[in-house]
Structures are given as structure tokens and as C-alpha cells.
Amino acid sequence: MNKTLFSFCLSVLTFFLIPEVPQAQTPKRDITLEDIWAKPTFRGKGISGLTSMKDGMTYTAFDYTKHKECLVKYEYSSAKALDTIFKFSSLLVKGTDKPIWPDSYSFSKDETKMLIATETEYIYRHSTMEQYYVMDLKTHSLTPLSKGGKQRYATFSPDGSKVAFMRDNNIFITELKDGKESRITLDGKQNNIINGGTDWVYEEEFAFDVAFFWSPDGKKIAYYRFDESQVKEFSMNEYHDSLYPTEYRFKYPKAGEKNSVVQIKVYDLASNSTRMFDIGTEKDQYIPRICWTADPRQLCIIRMNRLQNKMEMLLGDPATGKTKTLLIKTSNTYVNIYENEGNFFSFLNDNKHFLLWNDDDGYSHVYLYDMDGKLINQVTKGQWDVMKIEGVDEKTNTLFYTSTESSATERDLYSIKLDGTDKKKLSTRKGTNTPRFSEGMKYYINIQSDANTPAYITLNSADGNEIRVLEDNHFLRTKLDSFNLSKKEFFTFTTSEGVSLNGWMIKPVNFDPNKKYPVFMTVYGGPGANTVNNAWSANPDFFWHEMLAEKGYMIVSVDNRGTMGRGRDFYKCTYGQLGNLETKDQIETAKYLGALPYVDKSRIGIQGWSYGGYMSSLCITRGADYFKAAIAVAPVTNWRFYDSIYTERYMGLPQTNASGYDDNSPINHCKELRGKYLLIHGTADDNVHFQNTIEMITALVKVNKPFDMAIYPDKNHGISGGYTRLHLFTKMTNFLLDNL
């Protein structure tokens, strides 16, 4: 026997004869509130600042590696770094020795210049103001865009020679060759006239804030003009550290009240003249979108009536201001243009066709039309919803979209020809897929996750083939293994009304089916925001729920009627009676859970924020027999207090639907309260006003019902900043430990 064979045999014998010494296992950690809210313990990795270059073969993204921060150019086909566009440390303005920090950036069309934004300040949810700098990529010189104060929405002209921006409710243009600045609107005034930006309610409910747009040839700028002079003001006290509070006032149209009067105008650079488009004589209407077609002689204007049950697509001629009707859609509830996770229409570059997303056949699908408004064909079909139009490859006539075909809880990527043939599923990993396509649609970067797995980011070719893994968040998955976590499990049940509902649950750590556990339900419940998604939650609330599971609570969330992804009838059945069917479904959830052998039906609680706070308030009152405790954060307590666009879309006008507004208002059900109730609000909430909580308190006191309360001075709808969230969630945790 040679020495090598002998050694091998000896090792085998030793393996079987010598008992293995068990390795000591490191005990798993419990989650703390400090882990969630004071430290970046559970922060995952992603790709920041992703922008496709015009060649469609390369992209740029920020690299935040410490002491190496830079913007890098990568190759799509390999994901290899090709070049460093700039290092943060090199962003020096002449005459200064401290580099600026880039919050965002954009390229000119020819990619010889960049706009770099810094010192960003948020105004409301979407709107911001920044200091912009122009970088010449040949010389790397950095020049302030304007010295007249911070700017908003700075945008290159198509030829890269100019930049338009908004400031003080007016639109300006800067000539980059000499820095000359000109103002193209003159009447902008705070709380009166807005040019080039949106008012509060458009920003919040139509989800856009930039309201000026260069024509494709760069010769004109189309823009919104808001006259909000007749809109009533809402005021909030700001306390800060001053002896006397200051008052902040802004225009906020509540349900049934006057809205801004909107005009659509176009500025001609050559003639220095402005023309107004004909959008009809009716002033009490909405213009939720405008968009240049590929032809600079045509601007598309979307017009809706105030009840939002009629939508018209108009084509406007910028030379004359005249418009013609391209298409009309009507509904007996409302025309849904809002909950598509992308834009609901898209004009093709052939200038002969456009795509429209709507629910004509009972589910949200994509339709192809010609430029006369004639339907060519329905592109997608089936008993599932298209959730987003991801893009179109016009060379191959291929549409890319994400949908709920697998499940209302999932998002998968598909491709299909514009004639409705050759449909292919491109995503391969179960869960939620969010693609970002390159210019030309040849590649995409896909962010995939599931309920128990952080983001898995891959580079893919347009046929779905995975080229390379860009980030698998291995470090976070490894860290999670060191904590006492329970898996999020999905379930479905049928209510007494025969409605099938989707939900998830997190069972207590070391779950024993022979024990009975208290249940803590978390809810949103409103139109357009499902909580039951097979996706990793970047929201720290997920880890709070895991922490509560460590303490012996079972956490549950269910998507009631009115949520999305299951077709028009499921989504729109709550019309005119927000809160009614949704509350019934959450009560049915409590009844279903209470019948499970491992649930203590006497200890079921519920919590929600915003619309969810509205729902939890209704559940602890109308559902008093089934809920022991409830937490309502920043709740709507009466839809009469909320904004016009959102509320009237789902409820109609309060003048014609008084019972719909009042019957499901928590302030009208306070006498039914028996359980423990915690009410939380920020005094500077510009969205769901503190007024809602004041009215709820008044109603509770009127019927002598006890409650707990936490008020956060000068905090907005998000109630955050510094240690605020840590304090807030400590308060909520202690409330649950004491009362559930």
C-alpha cells in the first residue's frame, strides 16, 4: 500500500471512529427598537442614481464606497466599470475648497454637460428646491446655474444649450454659453399664481410636481399655470423654539370646495411670445397630464371633469392653441388613471400610434390606438392586471410590462408583440420584479425580492437572460440569520360574504400550535396601496413586526376589497362608501383569526397609518366586539376634511353623497368604542391635517370615552426626524405590551 492510499484510508477510518464534537452555536439576537430606528442594522444595498446613457449600451450609477465616492460609467453587456465620470471630492466650485455633495444629476442629450443638484430641501411629498450646478464634461468645470436663489426642476433643452427652471412660482431660462438668465413668466406669486409647478393637491393626488416641458425640437416650452387665488387656505402653527408660534399658510382644497383654475400655455423662444391652449370653457376641471408627442406640432392634453368619471385626450397645436378631441373614456365610478405604477399612456416615436392603459374589459390592460383615436387592438388580455408599462421596443414592436398574472401578491415581467402575439414571461424568480430598462430596450437591471429575501439585483438582456448578479445582499442575509426572525407566510380565506382575501402572517418565534397567541393586525386598506405583497419590505415597520413576534404576538395583514391587482370590480366596489366594505373585511379577518386554534380571540389588536389609521379607528368602534386595542397614526377621521381630488374620485361630492361621507366616519361611531385606543398625529401634517385628530378627540370627549394620545410638534405626515421614530415606536410598543 503506498503512502497516499494509506493516508486516505486512515482519514476515512478516523472519520467514522472518532465522534464529532458538536460546535457551540452562537445564540441568536432579539431585535431592539434601537436596531430598527437608531442604527442602520438592517439596511440593504441597492443601486443609486441609475441612469441609462443614450447609446443604450452603458449606464451610470453612484458608488458610495467610503473615501471613494464617485459617479461611475458601466457597460450593460458585462457590468464592468468603464470610467469614473467624477469623484465627489473633485466637485469644487471656483473659489471654494469644500466640494459639493451631489444629491442627483442629469445629462444633456448630447452628454457633454451635466446638471448636478445639491442642498436639496423638500417642500411637500414630491416637490423640492435645490442648488444646481452645470458641469462641462470636457473641462470638468462647475458653474452655478443661477445666483438668484435655489432653483426647482432644472431641465436641459434638447440641444443642451439652455436650462429651464422654476423659482418663486415663475419659469426661467439660462443660456449656458453666457449665463444670461431670463424670466418667461411674470405673474407668479405665493398662494396665488404658480407657473411651471403644481399646486399642493395636484402634486399629492396626480403624483407629479414638474409642470413645464420642452418640445422635442427645443423651440417651445409647454407649461401649467395654476390660479389658486380662490382656493381656501389651511394654516398650521409652527412651534420650533420661538416664544411665539409662527403660522404657515398654504392653499388646500377640501372635498367640495373650490380648486385652482388651470391653464395650459406654451412659450415660443424665437418670438418670445406665449399662447394659451383651448381646454374648454369649464374651469372646474382637471388636467392630470400633458405630454408632447414625437411631433413638436402636437401636445397631448388629458382633461377630466371634476367627478373624474370622464377622461378626454386632446391634441393641441402650439402654433394656434387650438385643440381637437382624440379619445374619450367614461365610467359609472371613475376613470382609473392613477394606480398604474407607471404612466397610463405612451405615444410611440412612429408618430402614428399610442398605447393606453385602462380597465374596459374588467381588468387593467394595454390597448393600441392610431393617432385618429381608432382602436387597433387590445395588446394584453386575461383575468389579471397590467401594473406598469415598462417600455416599448419599436424596432421589434415589443411591449414590456409587469403584471399580476401569477398572483395579486406578485409582480412579473413579460414581453408581448403590439399585435398581442408572442407573449413571454421574462422574470424567473418568484416574488416582485422591478425592471429598469436601458435606452433602446436592449438591457434591463432587475430588482427582485420576496417577502423573506432582500433585493437580488441582476443585469439582464431584453429576452430575460441573466448576464450578471450586481447585488445579492449576501451580507444582509447573513446578518438576518443572527436574529430571531420568523418567516412571513401567505394565506387566503373566504369571508361570510363569499369574498376571497389575501393575507400574510408572521407567527411568534418558537411558535407552538398548542398555545394561544394574541394577534396584532396591520392595515392600510385604501385604494392603490396593497400591503400583502410578496416583496422584501424596506420599510423598518417589518422589523418592528418581527420584534413583536419575538415578544409573542402573531402579526397579520390582509388586503380588503378596494385594493389593487384583482380587477376592476374588486378595486372599484368601494366607490361612494369608503370605509364600509373595507371595515367589514377587516372584521371578517378578526373573526377568521379568532377561530384558529392557536389564536386568543379576546386579544386581537390593529394599527394603521393615514388611511390605515382611518381603518383602525373604524375597526375599534364598528368592530368593537372583535378588537381589544387599536393604534391610529395620522388618521383621516372624516373625508370632509381631506383634499378634493382624492376624496371626490372615490366618494363623489359631499354635497350629493352626504351619507357616504358621514356613515363611515369614525367620529360618528365613537360611542361604540370599548377597547383601548391610541391616537397619534404630527401638528405640521400638511396632508392629513391635525384637524382630523382634534375632531376625533372632540367626539370621544363628547361621549366620555377614554383614549391615549401622542402628539408630535412640528412633524409632518411621516412623523420623523432625529429620534422621533424611535420615540414613536417605543410609545406604540409599550401601548401594545400594556393593552394587548
Side-chain angles (χ1 to χ4, degrees), residues 105-254:
Y105 68 93
S106 61
F107 289 99
S108 60
K109 191 172 182 180
D110 62 6
E111 297 178 348
T112 63
K113 305 180 189 71
M114 295 182 69
L115 278 168
I116 299 175
T118 187
E119 301 176 36
T120 300
E121 295 179 46
Y122 273 88
I123 302 171
Y124 298 119
R125 189 191 297 264
H126 305 288
S127 53
T128 59
M129 63 174 68
E130 295 88 358
Q131 178 61 58
Y132 284 92
Y133 292 88
V134 181
M135 174 181 277
D136 186 311
L137 289 176
K138 294 179 181 177
T139 65
H140 276 235
S141 62
L142 206 60
T143 307
L145 174 61
S146 173
K147 297 181 180 179
K150 284 189 174 182
Q151 308 90 48
R152 298 170 64 182
Y153 320 135
T155 310
F156 280 113
S157 61
D159 66 0
S161 66
K162 306 172 185 67
V163 173
F165 63 89
M166 178 194 172
R167 182 174 57 220
D168 299 330
N169 288 11
N170 282 310
I171 302 172
F172 296 75
I173 296 178
T174 296
E175 296 276 357
L176 297 184
K177 62 181 179 182
D178 55 14
K180 181 181 178 182
E181 184 177 299
S182 58
R183 188 167 65 168
I184 69 172
T185 64
L186 303 174
D187 58 348
K189 183 180 178 182
Q190 178 70 20
N191 283 343
N192 193 283
I193 301 295
I194 308 171
N195 295 295
T198 55
D199 66 357
W200 187 95
V201 71
Y202 265 64
E203 174 182 334
E204 178 67 24
E205 306 305 355
F206 287 141
F208 75 104
D209 54 329
V210 183
F212 67 86
F213 308 92
W214 288 98
S215 62
D217 59 7
K219 295 180 179 180
K220 296 176 175 64
I221 295 178
Y223 66 93
Y224 282 74
R225 180 186 184 272
F226 287 83
D227 180 348
E228 53 179 2
S229 59
Q230 299 303 307
V231 178
K232 291 181 180 178
E233 289 184 343
F234 191 83
S235 64
M236 301 184 299
N237 280 336
E238 296 179 333
Y239 297 92
H240 305 299
D241 298 319
S242 60
L243 184 61
Y244 291 91
T246 57
E247 187 180 42
Y248 177 72
R249 304 180 71 87
F250 65 106
K251 299 287 187 166
Y252 185 105
K254 299 205 173 195

